[in-house]
């Protein structure tokens, strides 16, 4: 039943992605509202799937690669659902495929407990992981806003006021979305790292600087800090620079995760 619910959510997300792609290909003036409904239904089914997972396995879907990816996908969907009610709903053309990929990978792996022991448990662990995922979800939203900002900026610079220009939100709306995502994500990740380190120091007497999760968390935190620094420089075209930084920052975090997962995790539980 749990797998079926996740699969239904994936189908709805794919439907939303297809609807957005078709509307873009048809050259419509803006993103239609139908994808928002599909995203809403998908999010409701996705939430039911996560609840069913918790009830069946008596643990939150926060440990193990597949459960973690499904939870991260849900949080990105929650961000997207909010934007789908505003002018920035076309960011779904980037985020819905990302959500679909995350959930599809989770389904292929098998959304079930990993069975691996973890050293950090309890309610504080849940807060730690959930807040970290909120940070990563917010960075994904900032990435989507930044990518579309760069596309829209190019359209305006080249004076091509065609399909892309008509479909995408305005530059101020995209910049505002990227900024709000950082404002939500950075504090969430900061608190998550603080909780993790406080527990580690208290019970292990060390910051565990060589732990892949710690390394990735620090890389992500520094990336967030750099993204804010770009916005505070006051340089010319700071909004475009910030958009580019959002895209590059997301790629840095993604590549660092893949590298740590492949070469440094050593079989440890790592997202």
């Amino acid at each position: 039943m749990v797998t079926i619910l996740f699969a239904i959510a994936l189908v709805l997300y794919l439907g939303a992605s297809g609807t957005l792609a078709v509307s873009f290909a048809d050259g419509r003036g803006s993103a239609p509202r139908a994808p928002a409904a599909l995203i809403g239904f998908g999010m409701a089914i996705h939430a039911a799937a996560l609840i069913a997972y918790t009830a069946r396995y008596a643990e939150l879907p926060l440990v193990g690669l597949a459960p973690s990816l499904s939870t991260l996908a849900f949080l990105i969907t929650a961000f997207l659902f909010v934007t789908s009610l505003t002018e920035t709903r076309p960011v779904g053309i980037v985020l819905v495929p990302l959500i679909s990929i995350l959930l599809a990978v989770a389904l292929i792996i098998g959304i079930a407990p990993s069975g691996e022991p973890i050293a950090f448990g309890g309610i504080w662990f849940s807060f730690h992981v959930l807040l970290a995922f909120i940070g990563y979800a917010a960075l994904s939203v900032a990435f989507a806003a930044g990518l579309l900002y760069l596309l829209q900026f190019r359209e305006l610079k080249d004076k091509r006021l065609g399909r892309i220009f008509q479909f995408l939100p305005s530059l101020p709306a995209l910049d505002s979305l990227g900024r709000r995502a950082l404002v939500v994500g950075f504090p969430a990740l900061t608190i998550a790292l603080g909780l993790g380190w406080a527990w580690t120091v208290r019970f292990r007497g060390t910051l565990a600087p060589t732990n892949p999760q710690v390394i990735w968390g620090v890389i992500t935190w520094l990336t967030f800090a750099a993204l804010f620094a770009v916005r505070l420089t006051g340089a010319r075209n700071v909004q475009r620079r910030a958009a580019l930084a959002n895209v590059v920052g997301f790629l840095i975090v993604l590549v660092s995760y893949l590298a740590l997962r492949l070469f440094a995790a050593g079989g440890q539980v790592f997202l």
Side-chain angles (χ1 to χ4, degrees), residues 62-99:
L62 301 175
V63 179
L65 181 58
S68 297
L69 289 178
S70 67
T71 300
L72 179 58
F74 176 78
L75 291 173
I76 297 174
T77 305
F79 276 104
L80 176 59
F81 182 71
V82 174
T83 66
S84 69
L85 304 176
T86 68
E87 178 190 352
T88 56
R89 62 181 176 273
V91 296
I93 201 167
V94 175
L95 288 178
V96 179
L98 175 60
I99 292 165

Coordinates of all heavy atoms in Angstrom, one line a residue, residues 62-99:
L62 N 13.1 9.3 7.5 CA 14.2 10.2 7.5 C 15.6 9.5 7.5 O 16.6 10.2 7.4 CB 14.1 11.0 8.8 CG 12.9 11.9 9.0 CD1 12.9 12.5 10.4 CD2 12.7 12.9 7.9
V63 N 15.6 8.2 7.5 CA 16.8 7.5 7.5 C 16.8 6.5 6.3 O 15.8 5.9 6.0 CB 17.0 6.6 8.8 CG1 18.3 5.8 8.7 CG2 17.0 7.6 10.0
G64 N 18.0 6.4 5.6 CA 18.1 5.6 4.4 C 17.9 6.4 3.2 O 17.1 7.4 3.2
L65 N 18.5 6.0 2.1 CA 18.5 6.8 0.9 C 17.1 7.0 0.3 O 16.6 8.1 0.1 CB 19.4 6.2 -0.2 CG 19.5 7.0 -1.5 CD1 20.0 8.4 -1.3 CD2 20.4 6.3 -2.5
A66 N 16.3 5.9 0.1 CA 15.0 6.0 -0.5 C 14.0 6.8 0.4 O 13.3 7.7 -0.1 CB 14.5 4.6 -0.8
P67 N 13.8 6.5 1.7 CA 12.9 7.3 2.5 C 13.3 8.8 2.5 O 12.5 9.7 2.5 CB 13.0 6.6 3.9 CG 13.5 5.3 3.6 CD 14.4 5.4 2.4
S68 N 14.6 9.0 2.6 CA 15.1 10.4 2.7 C 14.8 11.2 1.4 O 14.3 12.3 1.4 CB 16.6 10.5 2.9 OG 16.9 9.9 4.2
L69 N 15.0 10.5 0.2 CA 14.7 11.2 -1.0 C 13.2 11.5 -1.2 O 12.8 12.5 -1.7 CB 15.1 10.3 -2.2 CG 16.6 10.2 -2.4 CD1 16.9 9.2 -3.6 CD2 17.3 11.5 -2.7
S70 N 12.4 10.5 -0.7 CA 10.9 10.8 -0.8 C 10.5 11.9 0.1 O 9.6 12.7 -0.3 CB 10.1 9.5 -0.3 OG 10.3 9.2 1.0
T71 N 11.1 12.1 1.3 CA 10.8 13.2 2.2 C 11.3 14.5 1.6 O 10.6 15.5 1.6 CB 11.4 13.0 3.5 OG1 10.9 11.8 4.1 CG2 11.1 14.1 4.5
L72 N 12.5 14.5 1.0 CA 13.0 15.7 0.4 C 12.1 16.1 -0.8 O 11.8 17.3 -1.0 CB 14.4 15.4 -0.1 CG 15.1 16.6 -0.8 CD1 15.2 17.8 0.1 CD2 16.5 16.2 -1.3
A73 N 11.7 15.1 -1.6 CA 10.8 15.5 -2.7 C 9.5 16.1 -2.2 O 9.0 17.0 -2.8 CB 10.5 14.2 -3.5
F74 N 9.0 15.6 -1.1 CA 7.7 16.2 -0.5 C 7.9 17.6 -0.1 O 7.1 18.5 -0.3 CB 7.3 15.3 0.6 CG 6.0 15.9 1.3 CD1 4.8 15.7 0.8 CD2 6.2 16.6 2.5 CE1 3.7 16.3 1.4 CE2 5.0 17.2 3.1 CZ 3.8 17.0 2.6
L75 N 9.1 17.9 0.5 CA 9.3 19.3 1.0 C 9.5 20.2 -0.2 O 9.0 21.4 -0.1 CB 10.5 19.3 1.9 CG 10.4 18.6 3.3 CD1 11.7 18.5 4.0 CD2 9.3 19.3 4.1
I76 N 10.1 19.8 -1.2 CA 10.2 20.6 -2.4 C 8.9 20.9 -3.0 O 8.5 22.0 -3.4 CB 11.2 20.0 -3.5 CG1 12.6 19.8 -2.9 CG2 11.2 20.8 -4.8 CD1 13.5 19.1 -3.9
T77 N 8.0 19.8 -3.0 CA 6.6 20.0 -3.5 C 5.9 21.0 -2.6 O 5.1 21.8 -3.2 CB 5.9 18.6 -3.4 OG1 6.7 17.6 -4.1 CG2 4.5 18.7 -4.0
A78 N 6.1 21.0 -1.3 CA 5.4 21.9 -0.5 C 5.8 23.4 -0.8 O 4.9 24.3 -0.9 CB 5.7 21.7 1.0
F79 N 7.1 23.6 -1.0 CA 7.5 24.9 -1.5 C 6.9 25.3 -2.9 O 6.4 26.4 -3.1 CB 9.0 24.9 -1.7 CG 9.8 25.2 -0.4 CD1 10.5 24.2 0.2 CD2 9.9 26.5 0.1 CE1 11.2 24.5 1.4 CE2 10.6 26.8 1.2 CZ 11.3 25.8 1.9
L80 N 6.8 24.3 -3.8 CA 6.3 24.5 -5.1 C 4.8 24.8 -5.1 O 4.3 25.6 -5.8 CB 6.6 23.3 -6.0 CG 6.0 23.3 -7.4 CD1 6.5 24.5 -8.2 CD2 6.3 22.0 -8.1
F81 N 4.1 24.1 -4.2 CA 2.7 24.3 -4.1 C 2.3 25.8 -3.7 O 1.4 26.4 -4.2 CB 2.0 23.4 -3.1 CG 0.5 23.5 -3.0 CD1 -0.3 23.1 -4.0 CD2 -0.1 24.1 -1.9 CE1 -1.7 23.2 -4.0 CE2 -1.4 24.2 -1.8 CZ -2.2 23.8 -2.8
V82 N 3.1 26.3 -2.8 CA 2.9 27.7 -2.4 C 3.2 28.6 -3.6 O 2.4 29.6 -3.9 CB 3.9 28.1 -1.3 CG1 3.8 29.6 -0.9 CG2 3.5 27.3 0.0
T83 N 4.3 28.4 -4.4 CA 4.6 29.2 -5.5 C 3.5 29.0 -6.6 O 3.3 30.0 -7.4 CB 6.0 28.9 -6.1 OG1 6.0 27.6 -6.6 CG2 7.0 29.1 -5.0
S84 N 2.9 27.9 -6.7 CA 1.9 27.6 -7.8 C 0.7 28.5 -7.6 O -0.1 28.6 -8.6 CB 1.6 26.1 -7.8 OG 0.8 25.8 -6.6
L85 N 0.5 29.1 -6.5 CA -0.6 30.0 -6.3 C -0.3 31.4 -6.6 O -1.2 32.3 -6.4 CB -1.1 29.8 -4.8 CG -1.5 28.4 -4.3 CD1 -1.8 28.5 -2.9 CD2 -2.6 27.8 -5.2
T86 N 0.9 31.7 -7.0 CA 1.3 33.0 -7.3 C 1.9 33.1 -8.7 O 1.8 32.2 -9.5 CB 2.4 33.4 -6.3 OG1 3.6 32.7 -6.6 CG2 2.0 33.2 -4.9
E87 N 2.4 34.3 -9.0 CA 3.0 34.6 -10.4 C 4.1 33.6 -10.7 O 4.4 33.4 -11.9 CB 3.5 36.0 -10.4 CG 4.1 36.4 -11.7 CD 4.8 37.8 -11.7 OE1 4.6 38.5 -10.7 OE2 5.5 38.1 -12.6
T88 N 4.8 33.1 -9.7 CA 6.0 32.3 -9.9 C 5.7 30.8 -10.1 O 6.6 30.0 -10.1 CB 7.0 32.4 -8.7 OG1 6.3 32.1 -7.5 CG2 7.5 33.9 -8.6
R89 N 4.4 30.5 -10.4 CA 4.1 29.0 -10.6 C 4.9 28.4 -11.8 O 5.1 27.2 -11.7 CB 2.6 28.8 -10.8 CG 2.0 29.5 -11.9 CD 0.5 29.2 -11.9 NE -0.2 29.9 -13.0 CZ -0.7 31.2 -12.9 NH1 -0.6 31.8 -11.8 NH2 -1.3 31.7 -13.9
P90 N 5.4 29.1 -12.8 CA 6.1 28.5 -13.9 C 7.4 27.8 -13.4 O 8.0 27.1 -14.1 CB 6.4 29.6 -14.9 CG 5.2 30.5 -14.7 CD 5.0 30.5 -13.2
V91 N 7.9 28.1 -12.1 CA 9.1 27.5 -11.7 C 8.9 26.0 -11.6 O 9.9 25.2 -11.5 CB 9.6 28.0 -10.3 CG1 10.0 29.4 -10.4 CG2 8.5 27.7 -9.2
G92 N 7.7 25.5 -11.7 CA 7.3 24.1 -11.7 C 7.9 23.4 -12.9 O 8.2 22.2 -12.8
I93 N 8.2 24.1 -13.9 CA 8.8 23.5 -15.1 C 10.2 23.0 -14.8 O 10.7 22.1 -15.5 CB 8.8 24.5 -16.3 CG1 8.9 23.7 -17.6 CG2 9.9 25.5 -16.2 CD1 8.6 24.5 -18.9
V94 N 10.8 23.5 -13.8 CA 12.1 23.0 -13.3 C 12.0 22.1 -12.1 O 12.6 21.0 -12.1 CB 13.1 24.2 -13.0 CG1 14.4 23.6 -12.4 CG2 13.3 25.0 -14.2
L95 N 11.1 22.5 -11.2 CA 11.0 21.7 -9.9 C 10.3 20.4 -10.0 O 10.6 19.4 -9.4 CB 10.4 22.6 -8.8 CG 11.3 23.8 -8.3 CD1 10.5 24.6 -7.3 CD2 12.5 23.2 -7.7
V96 N 9.2 20.4 -10.8 CA 8.4 19.1 -10.9 C 9.2 18.0 -11.5 O 9.2 16.9 -11.0 CB 7.1 19.4 -11.7 CG1 6.3 18.1 -11.8 CG2 6.2 20.4 -11.0
P97 N 10.0 18.2 -12.6 CA 10.9 17.1 -13.0 C 11.9 16.7 -11.9 O 12.1 15.5 -11.8 CB 11.6 17.7 -14.2 CG 10.6 18.7 -14.8 CD 10.0 19.3 -13.5
L98 N 12.4 17.6 -11.2 CA 13.3 17.3 -10.1 C 12.6 16.5 -9.0 O 13.2 15.4 -8.6 CB 13.9 18.6 -9.5 CG 14.8 18.4 -8.2 CD1 16.0 17.6 -8.6 CD2 15.2 19.7 -7.7
I99 N 11.4 16.9 -8.6 CA 10.6 16.1 -7.7 C 10.4 14.7 -8.2 O 10.5 13.7 -7.5 CB 9.3 16.8 -7.4 CG1 9.6 18.1 -6.6 CG2 8.4 15.9 -6.6 CD1 8.4 19.1 -6.6

